């Protein structure tokens, strides 16, 4: 029974909740993130998200230690996305890591393509695409007033003179505006193969099929351009200089 007065997800089968709970517990990091809980609240006192949201790392430690499947399912689908993954909660006197518990839970939510994961990651689709296709994160041309309204007038000033700002930076590899830094085609292909072989591409397909399809298309045309075969991982991972841009 859930600890929440207005319990949600009563329509979800207990077996499904248990399956996801067991998936969290089966993670190889599980025994390093939860040892038991004094309920002292030190983690919550140090948690920045607890100051702004109806959120408490202590609740995660307690619910997971009690194996409260219904409440776990609620945390998995709602509250856990309020964690900012700062790990201030690791100052726990029992050496628990509520942030670590949440990391595992988030991975389970993403791997299972839960709606809450899709919703939470929607705002990051551009960043996911950049990371997975280039290995770099926020590109300078993403610094637009609409994208970062909380930056005030500074972001407008920077976005208007982006080329000039970037050319003023000494390393040539940073003279780009569409990428954080210049990345060789060989590196992009190697990253793609790593994401593919480790199951990360499949995970993205579960969460955002649109990004997955774009990534596949972009990387396949890059491979065509380099005359590389998708099954020939060795060539791609150990590509000679000609695979460089
Ligand atoms: S990792 Fe999450 S739960 Fe831990 S202190 Fe930071 S925001 Fe709070
Ligand atoms: S997780 Fe640690 S810090 Fe948080 S309430 Fe439990 S014992 Fe205290």
């Amino acid at each position: 029974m859930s600890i929440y007065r207005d319990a949600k997800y009563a329509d979800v089968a207990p077996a499904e909740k248990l399956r996801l709970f067991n998936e969290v517990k089966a993670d190889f990091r599980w025994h390093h993130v939860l040892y038991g809980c004094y309920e002292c609240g030190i983690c919550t006192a140090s948690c920045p998200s607890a100051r702004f949201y109806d959120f408490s790392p202590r609740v995660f430690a307690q619910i997971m230690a009690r194996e409260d499947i219904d409440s776990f399912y609620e945390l998995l689908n709602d509250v856990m996305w309020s964690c900012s993954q700062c790990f201030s909660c690791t100052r726990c006197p029992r050496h628990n890591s509520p942030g670590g518990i949440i990391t595992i839970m988030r991975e389970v939510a993403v791997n299972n393509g839960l709606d809450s994961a899709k919703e939470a990651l929607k705002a990051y689709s551009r960043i996911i695409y950049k990371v997975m296709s280039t290995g770099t994160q926020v590109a300078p041309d993403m610094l637009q007033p609409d994208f970062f309204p909380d930056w005030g007038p500074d972001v407008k000033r920077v976005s208007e003179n982006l080329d000039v700002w970037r050319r003023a930076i000494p390393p040539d590899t940073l003279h780009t505006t569409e990428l954080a830094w210049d990345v060789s085609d060989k590196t992009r292909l190697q990253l793609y193969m790593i994401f593919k072989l480790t199951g990360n591409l499949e995970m993205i397909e579960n969460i955002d099929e649109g990004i997955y399809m774009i990534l596949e298309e972009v990387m396949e045309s890059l491979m065509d351009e380099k005359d590389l075969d998708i099954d020939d991982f060795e060539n791609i991972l150990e590509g000679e200089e000609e695979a460089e841009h």
Side-chain angles (χ1 to χ4, degrees):
M1 197 175 132
S2 172
I3 60 164
Y4 297 106
R5 193 169 27 186
D6 302 317
K8 292 191 261 177
Y9 309 112
D11 54 327
V12 177
E16 173 62 2
K17 295 177 181 175
L18 184 62
R19 182 185 72 79
L20 293 166
F21 182 80
N22 285 338
E23 205 171 309
V24 171
K25 278 187 68 181
D27 188 279
F28 72 98
R29 294 159 293 184
W30 176 250
H31 295 294
H32 302 288
V33 293
L34 184 62
Y35 296 94
C37 180
Y38 294 141
E39 306 195 8
C40 64
I42 289 173
C43 55
T44 301
S46 65
C47 172
S49 294
R51 296 185 189 189
F52 298 102
Y53 305 107
D54 184 9
F55 173 85
S56 162
R58 179 169 62 96
V59 168
F60 281 82
Q62 289 173 358
I63 283 175
M64 296 309 281
R66 288 179 195 159
E67 308 207 340
D68 173 350
I69 310 295
D70 289 319
S71 303
F72 153 78
Y73 194 79
E74 292 214 36
L75 294 176
L76 185 74
N77 281 280
D78 299 309
V79 188
M80 74 167 176
W81 299 102
S82 298
C83 170
S84 52
Q85 295 279 274
C86 67
F87 294 97
S88 302
C89 50
T90 48
R91 63 192 60 182
C92 164
R94 293 260 357 226
H95 304 294
N96 297 324
S97 171
I101 296 172
I102 292 166
T103 302
I104 299 172
M105 287 172 65
R106 284 181 172 182
E107 288 178 15
V108 167
V110 169
N111 287 337
N112 282 275
L114 299 190
D115 286 345
S116 68
K118 289 180 186 168
E119 193 55 38
L121 294 178
K122 206 188 278 175
Y124 300 96
S125 56
R126 254 181 107 180
I127 293 173
I128 293 171
Y129 173 73
K130 280 279 181 208
V131 171
M132 295 192 81
S133 63
T134 68
T136 72
Q137 204 191 31
V138 179
D141 66 359
M142 288 157 96
L143 296 175
Q144 299 297 329
D146 288 348
F147 205 61
F148 291 95
D150 52 325
W151 282 24
D154 276 352
V155 72
K156 186 168 185 299
R157 190 171 54 86
V158 171
S159 67
E160 281 169 356
N161 299 294
L162 209 51
D163 280 339
V164 179
W165 292 116
R166 294 296 285 184
R167 271 186 273 118
I169 303 174
D172 291 353
T173 50
L174 296 181
H175 293 176
T176 63
T177 54
E178 291 174 359
L179 294 169
W181 59 87
D182 208 6
V183 183
S184 75
D185 288 343
K186 178 181 171 185
T187 301
R188 293 177 64 202
L189 286 171
Q190 285 175 331
L191 273 173
Y192 172 67
M193 296 320 295
I194 290 167
F195 288 135
K196 203 170 181 68
L197 292 170
T198 52
N200 277 280
L201 270 182
E202 210 177 310
M203 187 177 79
I204 291 298
E205 189 181 10
N206 280 339
I207 290 296
D208 190 328
E209 206 180 343
I211 296 190
Y212 169 80
M213 285 166 69
I214 295 171
L215 269 170
E216 287 280 278
E217 206 178 304
V218 166
M219 300 317 282
E220 276 170 21
S221 58
L222 187 57
M223 271 189 275
D224 280 350
E225 216 177 279
K226 301 288 168 195
D227 205 18
L228 289 165
D229 193 281
I230 186 107
D231 295 321
D232 194 357
F233 298 140
E234 202 174 3
N235 264 356
I236 292 165
L237 291 172
E238 296 173 11
E240 297 298 329
E241 288 308 301
E242 59 264 24
E244 303 251 12
H245 65 143

